Amino acid sequence: MINDLLQMDAFARRFGCALNPKLRSAMEADQRWPSKAAAPVPDAVPEVLPDNAVRFPDPARAEGQKRA
């Protein structure tokens, strides 16, 4: 998506309007750095959860439910 915005900015520059240079440089810098996960993905979900955790229903296991 950022790449699309930068391409639109490059096109708009030909007609005299463009993004703020600081914003454009920040967007370009964002593309150069790889994204990182906020937390590691667990290998398996434990069967017993702590008291403060809630298990969401698994849509793959939902039988007999109609889709909207």
Side-chain angles (χ1 to χ4, degrees):
M1 179 163 173
I2 291 176
N3 192 32
D4 294 336
L5 292 172
L6 292 173
Q7 292 297 325
M8 286 188 281
D9 179 55
F11 182 75
R13 282 180 185 273
R14 296 191 300 181
F15 300 99
C17 59
L19 289 173
N20 183 319
K22 289 182 181 179
L23 176 61
R24 180 173 177 83
S25 63
M27 291 169 70
E28 289 171 341
D30 186 50
Q31 280 194 313
R32 286 191 293 267
W33 295 99
S35 61
K36 296 182 180 179
V41 178
D43 294 331
V45 178
E47 289 298 320
V48 178
L49 295 176
D51 292 337
N52 63 346
V54 177
R55 186 180 306 273
F56 289 114
D58 185 6
R61 294 183 186 175
E63 295 178 14
Q65 294 182 355
K66 296 182 181 178
R67 297 182 112 185

